[in-house]
Structure formats: structure tokens, C-alpha cells
Amino acid sequence: MKEFFGWGGYSRDAEGFLSWQHLLFVTGLMAVMVALAVLVGRRSRTKDDRQKNRVLMVAAILIDSIELFKIVFLCLRSQDAMTWLYELPLFLCSIQLIAIPIAAFSKGRIKQAALDFVLIFGILGAILGTYGAGNNYGSYPVLCFDNVVSGMTHSISGFCSLYIAVSGMVSMKKKNIPVTFAILLAFCASATVANLLLDYNYMFLVRGDGTPYDILYGLVGGHPVLYPIGVILLFVFYILTFYGVCFLIRAERARRSADIEA
């Protein structure tokens, strides 16, 4: 147990990023995530909005409880009470620690925009934070506290994204697009400030750190201005693409329904 929790440091060598151990572990997590999302989502399709929302409430409480436990434990393990400064929810994946509770416990347009945000970035964060997490799996053994907790929180984010889609809670209204962008840009601005103050790499706006962002970092030669702008533009492009695909699917469904009625 001491070795699993890394108390005093891990004595085991990391199996390595994209090793078979890494891929087997995260594939198992993703399989459970998808199966639960489809199962629970399909059961919830015929229920009212309040009952559908209860699943998101449970997920919100669960993901934040796990993350809070992790932060407290890391402060104890490092014997540094200020460790929490480097565990703020300012990564693309960890934004869900705030977005999911907002989607679960708020109402009106804010809730709809938060549902959109979780739907759009939850599944992307789950994939990038498991299969693409070279910063974690290149540094720690696969089966350790750091990677297991990270895998659990990223899987919950992905579950919420898929559950929203399968259960029929999807909003994806054009009027909510500015709110979705505002949420993302606010976090990017906060991450930039935190990076300057703490000399850290929130939102991977400073460097790739073994993640797929390294591709962009290499393309711009690590330029301190072009690289973060490129990362943010990728986020913007992804949001627009996601909305665009959803609107095309809805338009096609409406056309088919009109043809059938005709």
C-alpha cells in the first residue's frame, strides 16, 4: 500500500507512455466508462429531466470528492501545505470539476451552456487524459495512486459527456455558443496568470510535457507566443467543429422527418 500511494517516492520504474500496461489499463477504464454511460443513459431516456439530472449530481459529487481527497493526500505526501497551488482545476480535463457541478446544480441558460461544455470537452478530456497522458504514464508506474485517481476523474468526465448525449439531455443551441467560448477563454486566461505566477504549465499553455500538444510545440519551435495561441485556436476550432457536426446531424434528421411525413 505504501508503494501504491507513493509515500516516500515510487521505487518501481514507470512502464512507459503507450506501453502495453498503460494501454491495457486505460482501455479498461474507457470500456467501463462507455458501458456505464450507454446503460445508464438508455435507462434514463424515458425519465423526466429531474431524474436524468440526478445522475449528473452523483457524478459531480463523486468527481469533486475524489479530487479533493487527492489534493489533501498530495499535500500530506509532499509535506508541503502549498502543493494545492499546483493542483488547481486549470487543465482542460480538470475544468470538468467545475463544469459538471454547474451542469448538475444550476438552471436555465447557464445549465444548458454547462451541459454543452461537458458534452464537448468531457469525452475529449477523457481520451487525452488517459491515452494521451504522457506526462503521467511516462513518470509514474501504471498502477499507482497518481494514475489511478487521474484515470477515475477523467473517466467520470467522459461518462458525463456520453451520458448527456445518450440520455437526451443535449442542448447545443446556437445562443449558447458565446457562453461556451466564454467559459473556455476564462479558464485559459486564469491558467495563463497562474502559469506566470507559479512558473507552471496549466492548460499546457507553456509546453507539451509529453502530451500530444508536443506536436504543436514542435511545429512552432516552442515559440512562447505562437504556441499558446495555437493551443487556444485548437480549442476554438474543436468547439466550432463539434457544434457544426451537431447542427448538420439535426438538419439531416429534420430533412428525413419531413420526407417521411411528405
Side-chain angles (χ1 to χ4, degrees), residues 56 59-61 63-64 95-106 111 114 118:
L56 284 184
I61 294 171
I63 192 173
D64 280 3
I95 294 175
Q96 303 300 333
L97 295 167
I98 298 174
I100 294 173
I102 292 175
F105 294 102
S106 64
K111 181 181 185 68
V118 175

Side-chain angles (χ1 to χ4, degrees), residues 129-145:
T130 53
Y131 287 103
N135 53 323
N136 279 355
Y137 292 96
S139 303
Y140 310 119
V142 170
L143 294 180
C144 70
F145 177 81

